[in-house]
Amino acid sequence: MTDQPVPPEQPIPPAPPGYDTALGAASLHSITLLGHDLAEDVMGEVGFGELAFWLATQRRPSRGQTRVFEAVLAALADHGYTPTAIVTRLTYLSAPDSVQGALAAGLLGGGSRFLGVTEDSGQFLHGVLAAVEGPLPTDEAGWDGLALRTVAARREAGLFVPGLGHHVHKEGDPRTPRLFRIAEEEGVAGPHLALFAAIGRVHPQVLGKTLPLNGAGVCGAALADLGLPLELLRGFALLARTAGLIGQLAEELRHPVARDIHLSVDLNNRPVPPDPYIPPPLTSEASDTEEG
């Protein structure tokens, strides 16, 4: 009797990959979200603002934190015929079959001049606070001193202070004092708001003029004090503006203005002679380097 050949050992299949998440998960009969039953524990029990905060931080906000967060969302939802609103309406005029395209067009315009100031201000204030050696100020005089040094440094560097100034509300943005009051009432006003308020008090000493603390800036300070991820502050501004853009589209459906905006530009353009672009001359240093 001959020996039977021993079959080669079969390789052990690799374990399937695992993708951990504490957010949403679905099974045959249930959906969980943040460790809770979505249908029974979340729907009808948790407001959207509270849920958005919870999703971003994976910690459920207190009532006071929720109130401040939702006040920020309300402050940033709509601000009239801004470029984001206009482009949303115009995109819908061009592609009425693409609501998502119209909304996306408006959201893509959230940058350093509109909406992005919220993130810029929060990041700026946090950077100043993180650079302080020793304990943070504990009284108004201390905050004013820090703010004075901060504004002076920005002036010397030729940089603007994020959140300072507004193209419309030149005598004061009505959203700013209201958000300060809400944060104080709820006991969640922290160092970012304290520094921002101090900048509002002392900047005339450096700049020689008084500028308003704008709503986007105070929103960034409030969100930073709530402990939200600084990298996502613009995302919360976009979340708020999404509601506003839906409102813009809803109004456009009933009282359209996008065609008038389009025709106003199209029928009033003025032909002018070409203005050729001429590259600036190279510096002598650059020229010497190239020739050498």
Side-chain angles (χ1 to χ4, degrees):
M1 182 175 181
T2 59
D3 293 335
Q4 295 295 322
V6 178
E9 292 185 5
Q10 296 298 316
I12 299 174
Y19 303 100
D20 296 340
T21 179
L23 302 178
S27 62
L28 182 60
H29 298 295
S30 68
I31 303 173
T32 59
L33 183 63
L34 295 161
H36 294 263
D37 186 284
L38 174 66
E40 297 299 326
D41 301 332
V42 180
M43 295 172 60
E45 303 296 331
V46 180
F48 182 71
E50 179 182 359
L51 182 60
F53 187 112
W54 198 354
L55 286 167
T57 63
Q58 298 193 15
R59 54 182 168 87
R60 191 166 186 173
S62 67
R63 178 194 173 282
Q65 290 172 327
T66 299
R67 185 180 177 219
V68 171
F69 182 67
E70 291 185 343
V72 167
L73 296 182
L76 299 174
D78 187 81
H79 206 55
Y81 281 122
T82 59
T84 59
I86 294 171
V87 74
T88 289
R89 289 184 183 241
L90 289 175
T91 303
Y92 185 77
L93 172 68
S94 180
D97 53 319
S98 180
V99 170
Q100 71 274 21
L103 292 173
L107 294 177
L108 288 172
S112 59
R113 292 185 177 175
F114 291 88
L115 295 177
V117 178
T118 296
E119 179 180 304
D120 297 341
S121 298
Q123 294 267 20
F124 165 70
L125 295 168
H126 190 78
V128 172
L129 295 172
V132 173
E133 296 182 0
L136 295 176
T138 57
D139 56 19
E140 189 171 288
W143 285 113
D144 285 357
L146 176 59
L148 197 59
R149 296 191 297 273
T150 299
V151 176
R154 297 289 287 189
R155 175 71 178 267
E156 185 177 351
L159 300 172
F160 293 110
V161 176
L164 188 59
H166 197 282
H167 68 291
V168 174
H169 305 302
K170 297 183 182 300
E171 296 182 358
D173 190 321
R175 298 171 295 179
T176 301
R178 176 60 174 156
L179 192 51
F180 271 117
R181 288 198 302 271
I182 293 173
E184 290 287 349
E185 290 168 4
E186 299 300 336
V188 295
H192 299 85
L193 282 169
L195 176 57
F196 195 58
I199 288 173
R201 291 191 297 268
V202 307
H203 75 270
Q205 300 177 44
V206 179
L207 304 183
K209 58 183 176 180
T210 300
L211 299 172
L213 296 174
N214 62 53
V218 75
C219 286
L223 292 175
D225 273 347
L226 290 175
L228 291 159
L230 297 175
E231 300 83 357
L232 296 181
L233 296 191
R234 187 175 301 189
F236 299 119
L238 295 175
L239 173 65
R241 188 52 58 91
T242 299
L245 295 180
I246 291 173
Q248 292 283 338
L249 287 178
E251 186 175 73
E252 181 68 21
L253 288 170
R254 294 180 291 116
H255 305 289
V257 299
R259 186 175 297 279
D260 292 338
I261 294 173
H262 159 60
L263 292 176
S264 177
V265 177
D266 188 47
L267 299 179
N268 292 283
N269 66 80
R270 296 186 299 271
V272 297
D275 181 18
Y277 169 74
I278 300 175
L282 298 174
T283 64
S284 58
E285 180 179 350
S287 300
D288 292 342
T289 301
E290 290 178 0
E291 293 174 0

